[in-house]
């Protein structure tokens, strides 16, 4: 293994040490823009961790010639472990190197110049216990609110949920129950108290499960003044076909059984899944193939359980190389 030492160096103007974590796979052009946007922040990250999911385009060559002001560590996975595996490894490395916060995003995300500083400003409003998760507002390339990567508002009427809602509103923020991995900032002290994103999800809904789990430990808030642009509207869960359909259905079943959501939320996810499957079956041109995929996803979603791993176990289990 070779590469630049991954060391948490305190920023001269801020106490928390922030590692930005970017997961990439075969999107060199988007990654270039993402890293430039991170390097141009008014309050830069203390370190950028790039997890390359064994890209086969020009990503590796590009990453080998990076020249940014912000220190960067590139970690190349020996295989494509999906978004779930990439984020799990990136957060695990940030924990291992004792950073305080991890700001996580896909490679097709462009943070606006003050996105990180606004997250940290919002965090500083909490004088005692900062939220476990602070989410940036996701917008599309036209400046409209992103429809796919939305933070879900806190709606609990129990005392803890009500208190989080009132406190967030007092700061001009919105309390949330969970969010996506498109500009979410994770408190790594709290992250040490629970398992990392579940690698076995591979793609889709791992972010919902993980951030819901963290928010249940320490709350979460949406910071409207921290904005990130999502460059592309990729195929959304609920419209997936082929292998992706399997992950969508299986993972929704896993999520409903995870305990990270309330009983009502779990039932809502199951109801929506039933509606989705019925609609897709009617629209499917190959109903036999569609039925086989759904049957396999339901079998695995009900009969199996994903692995929950600590940060040390994730690093121990991963096969990767650290690059210059």
């Amino acid at each position: 293994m070779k590469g630049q030492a991954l060391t948490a160096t305190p920023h001269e103007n801020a106490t928390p040490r922030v590692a930005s974590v970017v997961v990439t796979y075969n999107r060199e052009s988007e990654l270039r823009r993402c890293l430039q946007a991170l390097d141009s922040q008014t309050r830069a990250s203390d370190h950028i961790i790039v997890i390359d999911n064994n890209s086969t385009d020009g990503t590796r060559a590009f990453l080998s010639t990076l020249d940014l002001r912000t220190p960067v560590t590139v970690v190349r996975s020996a295989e494509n472990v999906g978004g779930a595996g990439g984020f799990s490894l990136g957060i695990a490395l940030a924990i291992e190197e004792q950073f305080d916060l991890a700001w996580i995003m896909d490679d097709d995300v462009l943070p606006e110049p003050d996105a990180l500083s606004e997250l940290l400003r919002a965090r500083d409003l909490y004088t005692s216990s900062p939220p476990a998760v602070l989410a940036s507002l996701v917008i599309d390339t036209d400046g409209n609110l992103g429809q796919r990567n939305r933070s879900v508002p806190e709606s609990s009427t129990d005392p803890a949920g009500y208190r989080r809602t009132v406190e967030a509103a007092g700061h001009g923020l919105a309390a949330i129950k969970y969010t996506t991995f498109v500009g979410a900032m994770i408190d790594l002290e709290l992250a040490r108290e629970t398992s990392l994103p579940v690698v076995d999800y591979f793609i889709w809904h791992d972010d919902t499960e993980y951030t819901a789990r963290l928010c249940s430990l320490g709350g979460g808030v949406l910071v409207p003044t921290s904005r990130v642009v999502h460059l592309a509207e990729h195929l959304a869960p609920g419209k997936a076909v082929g292998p992706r359909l399997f992950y969508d259905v299986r993972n929704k079943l896993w999520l409903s059984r995870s305990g990270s959501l309330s009983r009502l939320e779990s039932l809502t996810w199951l109801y929506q899944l039933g509606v989705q499957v019925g609609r897709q079956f009617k629209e499917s041109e190959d109903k036999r193939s569609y039925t086989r995929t759904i049957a396999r996803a339901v079998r695995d979603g009900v009969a199996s359980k994903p692995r929950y791993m600590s940060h040390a176990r994730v690093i121990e289990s991963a096969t990767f190389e650290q690059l210059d």
Side-chain angles (χ1 to χ4, degrees):
M1 184 184 297
K2 64 175 183 176
Q4 183 175 357
L6 179 60
T7 305
T9 304
H11 190 278
E12 62 182 4
N13 294 324
T15 300
R17 294 166 296 174
V18 181
S20 290
V21 176
V22 180
V23 176
T24 188
Y25 177 67
N26 283 351
R27 287 209 292 248
E28 176 193 350
S29 60
E30 290 91 337
L31 178 63
R32 286 177 181 270
R33 297 177 66 184
C34 175
L35 294 181
Q36 184 58 52
L38 284 174
D39 198 44
S40 302
Q41 291 291 297
T42 55
R43 192 295 199 188
S45 306
D46 299 287
H47 212 102
I48 299 173
I49 302 172
V50 179
I51 306 296
D52 176 13
N53 255 333
N54 200 21
S55 295
T56 56
D57 61 354
T59 297
R60 184 168 189 169
F62 159 63
L63 290 173
S64 68
T65 60
L66 273 181
D67 184 21
L68 302 180
R69 295 175 302 167
T70 309
V72 180
T73 292
V74 177
V75 174
R76 181 178 172 88
S77 176
E79 59 181 333
N80 182 3
V81 292
F87 284 119
S88 187
L89 178 57
I91 296 170
L93 291 170
I95 291 174
E96 190 77 3
E97 297 301 325
Q98 300 183 355
F99 287 94
D100 300 304
L101 301 164
W103 191 25
I104 56 184
M105 64 193 70
D106 292 312
D107 52 11
D108 61 348
V109 174
L110 295 182
E112 293 192 346
D114 61 350
L116 179 54
S117 64
E118 284 298 298
L119 287 176
L120 293 174
R121 182 193 64 79
R123 186 175 185 269
D124 287 343
L125 296 174
Y126 290 79
T127 56
S128 55
S129 298
V133 179
L134 294 101
S136 297
L137 181 68
V138 181
I139 59 176
D140 63 24
T141 53
D142 294 326
N144 301 314
L145 291 177
Q147 295 302 306
R148 279 195 45 225
N149 295 279
R150 293 176 290 181
S151 299
V152 174
E154 172 68 67
S155 60
S156 174
T157 57
D158 64 54
Y162 180 70
R163 183 176 62 252
R164 288 193 293 266
T165 299
V166 171
E167 185 173 16
H171 296 315
L173 310 172
I176 59 173
K177 289 190 287 189
Y178 53 84
T179 189
T180 70
F181 286 164
V182 180
M185 176 174 284
I186 304 302
D187 188 310
L188 296 180
E189 182 177 354
L190 282 172
R192 290 180 176 89
E193 299 180 12
T194 187
S195 304
L196 287 174
V198 182
V199 175
D200 291 341
Y201 275 61
F202 192 74
I203 57 170
W204 289 341
H205 315 309
D206 51 298
D207 47 6
T208 296
E209 191 282 326
Y210 182 61
T211 58
R213 191 157 22 106
L214 285 177
C215 287
S216 69
L217 290 175
V221 296
L222 171 67
V223 184
T225 54
S226 173
R227 293 158 55 102
V228 301
V229 179
H230 199 202
L231 289 177
E233 285 292 326
H234 302 293
L235 182 65
K239 297 183 179 179
V241 295
R244 288 175 175 259
L245 173 65
F246 168 80
Y247 290 116
D248 180 32
V249 174
R250 183 202 62 179
N251 292 357
K252 283 176 179 173
L253 291 171
W254 274 353
L255 175 61
S256 70
R257 300 168 54 210
S258 67
S260 298
L261 304 179
S262 70
R263 181 175 178 80
L264 178 59
E265 289 167 336
S266 295
L267 291 173
T268 300
W269 275 77
L270 290 174
Y271 171 77
Q272 292 172 344
L273 177 59
V275 172
Q276 167 195 328
V277 169
R279 172 181 52 78
Q280 287 182 326
F281 178 78
K282 291 180 180 179
E283 297 172 352
S284 175
E285 295 180 358
D286 186 351
K287 289 182 169 51
R288 185 174 181 180
S289 176
Y290 182 84
T291 301
R292 284 200 301 265
T293 301
I294 293 297
R296 186 166 64 93
V298 170
R299 181 196 64 204
D300 285 12
V302 172
S304 68
K305 294 181 179 180
R307 298 166 295 170
Y308 287 76
M309 296 189 288
S310 67
H311 74 274
R313 179 60 178 153
V314 166
I315 293 175
E316 178 185 337
S317 301
T319 304
F320 61 90
E321 58 178 326
Q322 191 168 304
L323 309 173
D324 287 327

